[in-house]
């Protein structure tokens, strides 16, 4: 299988750097082909701005989505963005790996998403009409590929439990798993989360790596997070709200998963 690992940590000798090397070695030993986008090593440009579109008409105001659409459609994207899109198309499975910083991904990785997920590539795909709101949430350019988060958090597992003060981990990761991965079509695998990551020693690292190895060994077979596809009848169109008979009386992120699994 072709696997793309997108890694966002500024220090190669960090826990995340150690886990990235471990993942690459483990996956290659299992016969997979691995590409790593080490965003800091690549000196990835994190901000989406007018410099990303050198061919645009400078006399008109910069339009992030419109200029993205134009550049993607006309093959005038910057080389770094086009290269990352090619890696995504090449991959069967994509792993995003990062430390949780302020309840989300580090800015450099968010910037990778902002720039690589072009209009026409990750959004604005498919028919948009009164009958259909595009190919997204289970459909789209990246449909058929699997994706998984590997994240470290300083907080304890209990801090991220259903009644934990930080909020449930599934809710925290919802914007990434549902909004960034499921939206352009990925099948989303359950995340691998290392809690209390600032308290690590050799023995605990060995245990974490054994658990991570087990997850990597089941990338192709593990049951995905059962998010509801947009275009399978669960949502009213064009309001895009979950139809009333489904999950009656419930609200919140959890309603966008099928109860009891896929
Ligand atoms: P490191 O700092 O590199 O290492 C962590 C521990 O692992 C250290 O004890 C280190 O000695 C040990 N270690 C590293 N490599 C090895 C090795 N090879 N062998 C053995 N031991 C090793 N946490 C939250 O829960 N929620 C937040 O919202 C949040 N926001 C943050 C915002 C910022 C800006 C920052 C800096 C941190 C935040 N944190 C938060 C904490 C953060 O998630 C953790 O610090 C991070 O996950 C640890 O990963 P690391 O790779 O940076 O670890």
């Amino acid at each position: 299988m072709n696997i793309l690992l997108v890694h966002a940590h500024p220090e190669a000798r960090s826990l995340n750097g150690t886990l990235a090397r471990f993942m690459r070695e483990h996956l290659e030993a299992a016969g997979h082909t691995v590409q790593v986008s080490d965003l800091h090593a690549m000196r990835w440009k994190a901000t989406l701005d007018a410099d990303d579109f050198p061919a645009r008409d400078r006399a008109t105001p910069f339009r992030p989505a419109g200029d993205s659409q134009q550049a993607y459609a006309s093959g005038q994207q910057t080389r770094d963005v086009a290269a990352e899109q090619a890696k995504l198309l090449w991959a069967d499975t994509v792993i995003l790996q990062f430390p949780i910083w302020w309840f989300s991904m580090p800015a450099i990785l968010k910037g990778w998403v902002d720039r690589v997920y072009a209009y026409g590539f990750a959004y604005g795909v498919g028919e948009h009409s009164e009958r259909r709101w595009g190919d997204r949430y289970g459909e789209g350019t990246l449909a058929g590929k699997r994706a998984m988060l590997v994240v470290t958090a300083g907080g304890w597992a209990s801090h991220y439990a259903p009644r934990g003060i930080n909020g449930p981990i599934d809710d925290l990761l919802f914007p990434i798993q549902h909004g960034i991965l499921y939206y352009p079509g990925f099948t989303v695998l359950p995340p691998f989360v290392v809690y209390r990551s600032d308290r690590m020693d050799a023995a605990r690292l060995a245990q974490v790596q054994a658990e991570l190895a087990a997850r990597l060994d089941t990338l192709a077979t593990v049951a995905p997070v059962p998010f509801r596809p947009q275009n399978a009848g669960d949502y009213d169109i064009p309001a895009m709200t979950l139809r009333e008979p489904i999950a009656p009386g419930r609200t919140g992120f959890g309603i966008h998963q099928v109860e009891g699994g896929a």
Side-chain angles (χ1 to χ4, degrees), residues 35-57:
Q35 290 195 70
V36 179
S37 288
D38 180 344
L39 300 185
H40 283 276
M42 293 159 66
R43 306 191 85 74
W44 180 259
K45 174 180 179 290
T47 50
L48 169 69
D49 58 27
D51 290 344
D52 289 316
F53 308 101
R56 64 177 295 275
D57 177 4

Side-chain angles (χ1 to χ4, degrees), residues 1-6 84 87-97 112 117 142 145-150 181 186-187 189 219:
M1 170 155 80
N2 291 340
I3 298 176
L4 172 63
L5 170 60
V6 183
E84 294 306 297
K87 290 181 198 171
L88 285 170
L89 295 175
W90 164 87
D92 302 302
T93 296
V94 174
I95 298 172
L96 303 185
Q97 188 223 348
W112 179 88
Y117 271 30
L142 302 172
K145 302 173 185 294
R146 298 188 143 217
M148 172 176 148
L149 302 183
V150 173
L181 296 178
F186 280 116
T187 298
L189 308 185
L219 282 178

Side-chain angles (χ1 to χ4, degrees), residues 9-11 13-18 21 97-104 151-156 159-160 166 172 194-203 205 209:
H9 196 289
E11 171 58 63
R13 293 162 296 178
S14 64
L15 175 62
N16 272 269
T18 302
R21 282 188 297 281
Q97 188 223 348
F98 54 92
I100 294 195
W101 281 1
W102 286 111
F103 298 89
S104 188
V151 303
T152 61
W156 299 14
H159 304 174
Y160 291 98
N166 288 352
L172 244 77
V194 180
Y195 295 103
R196 219 176 177 180
S197 55
D198 295 316
R199 293 298 181 105
M200 190 65 60
D201 57 22
L205 179 66
Q209 288 178 328

Side-chain angles (χ1 to χ4, degrees), residues 5 23-24 110 123 135 151-152 181 183 197 260:
L5 170 60
M23 284 195 276
R24 175 178 216 154
K110 179 57 164 50
Y123 67 109
D135 297 349
V151 303
T152 61
L181 296 178
Y183 187 108
S197 55

